Amino acid sequence: MKKINKDMIIGDIIRENNDLMDTFSENGMYCVGCPSAQMESIEDACAVHGLDVNKLVDALNKKRGE
């Protein structure tokens, strides 16, 4: 998978990188298993939950070693 960005769909990321579920949770995104995550971008989900999208994307890419 290429570098994660804010426009990517959460469900797609989790399918390819199951080990990132904890990174989502550690950054306040606890709903990665909900139906919305299958069609919602990281940016949209962060907006709904009041989270900093850049902080989450950076954490996800750091976990992947990028």
Side-chain angles (χ1 to χ4, degrees):
M1 175 179 257
K2 60 187 175 181
K3 189 172 181 178
I4 295 171
N5 66 65
K6 66 182 181 178
D7 299 317
M8 295 177 125
I9 304 298
I10 294 171
D12 294 342
I13 295 167
I14 296 301
R15 273 189 291 285
E16 291 188 36
N17 300 276
N18 194 35
D19 60 322
L20 292 178
M21 288 184 75
D22 63 334
T23 306
F24 277 99
S25 297
E26 290 166 0
N27 286 274
M29 185 74 59
Y30 303 105
C31 60
V32 294
C34 79
S36 294
Q38 300 310 307
M39 59 187 171
E40 193 168 46
S41 70
I42 296 173
E43 183 173 39
D44 291 340
C46 283
V48 168
H49 295 284
L51 301 172
D52 182 339
V53 65
N54 294 317
K55 179 182 173 191
L56 177 56
V57 169
D58 288 346
L60 292 167
N61 282 311
K62 182 178 180 182
K63 172 80 178 225
R64 290 181 65 228
E66 303 231 357

